[in-house]
Amino acid sequence: MATKKKKLLSAPNTIKYETFLDSLELIAIGIKACSCNLDRLGYMQFRQNTKRPVRILEEEAKVTSLKDNHFDAEIRFSIRLASESQATPDASLSVECIFEAHFHTGADPADRAHVEKFAQSELRFLLLPYARHFVTDMTARMAIGPIVLPIQTK
C-alpha cells in the first residue's frame, strides 16, 4: 500500500508563522457585498420534490491589500441547495456574501506568504460566523424558513 507523502514545515518557518500570528491585531470586520435570489415558485417545487436538501457552501478567500504593517483579506461565501441524488445545485435559491477583515501586523513588515497562508486557512474561522448569521437571517426574511449552516464546514 502506497503511503501519502506529507509536507512538513521546517521549525524556522513554523516559528516565523507563529510570530506572524501573534503579531496580528484585528481592526475591523465588515460585509463588503451581498446578494440573494429567490424564485419562490421554483423553490416550493424543489422543496416538494426534495425531502432532505443538501446545503452547498462554497468559499473563496483572497488577500485584497497588503502594506508594510497591515493587510485586508476577504472570503466570498456562496450557499445553494441541491437534492441528495443530484450534484448540481437548484437554481431557485442563492445567497452570497463577501466579508472582509482588516489586520495590523505590528512593527515587522508582513510577509506575503504568511498573509496568503492565513487568508487560506485561519481567516475562515473568524469570518464564517458572520456568514452563518447572514445566511440564516436573510433566508428567514425570505419567508422560506431559515437555512442554518453547520458550525464546521470542512
Side-chain angles (χ1 to χ4, degrees):
M1 174 162 75
T3 59
K4 186 177 179 181
K5 290 184 179 182
K6 294 180 181 180
K7 182 178 178 182
L8 300 175
L9 293 175
S10 66
N13 287 340
T14 303
I15 291 169
K16 285 181 183 178
Y17 187 66
E18 287 177 6
T19 303
F20 165 75
L21 290 177
D22 287 341
S23 76
L24 289 182
E25 182 181 358
L26 175 61
I27 302 301
I29 293 176
I31 193 161
K32 183 176 179 180
C34 61
S35 66
C36 303
N37 182 48
L38 174 64
D39 168 10
R40 192 169 303 282
L41 180 60
Y43 179 79
M44 292 306 166
Q45 290 173 345
F46 169 75
R47 287 308 308 259
Q48 285 177 349
N49 298 330
T50 306
K51 295 207 185 315
R52 294 188 58 208
V54 176
R55 299 163 293 192
I56 300 172
L57 177 66
E58 296 176 347
E59 299 176 14
E60 181 183 339
K62 66 181 178 179
V63 176
T64 56
S65 174
L66 174 60
K67 304 294 182 194
D68 281 344
N69 63 350
H70 65 274
F71 68 93
D72 295 325
E74 68 183 34
I75 301 182
R76 179 190 62 82
F77 296 96
S78 176
I79 182 81
R80 296 182 185 273
L81 299 177
S83 65
E84 287 181 311
S85 60
Q86 291 185 320
T88 55
D90 184 70
S92 64
L93 174 68
S94 66
V95 179
E96 183 176 295
C97 55
I98 301 172
F99 283 92
E100 94 180 321
H102 179 77
F103 295 90
H104 286 187
T105 57
D108 295 331
D111 180 303
R112 177 164 281 284
H114 290 157
V115 172
E116 292 286 346
K117 179 179 178 180
F118 175 79
Q120 297 300 321
S121 57
E122 287 87 2
L123 182 62
R124 71 183 309 278
F125 296 110
L126 295 173
L127 299 183
L128 184 59
Y130 292 88
R132 291 182 75 238
H133 178 268
F134 180 82
V135 169
T136 301
D137 186 53
M138 287 295 106
T139 53
R141 291 174 188 270
M142 292 176 178
I144 59 170
I147 295 173
V148 178
L149 299 179
I151 292 173
Q152 281 189 315
T153 60
K154 285 187 181 180

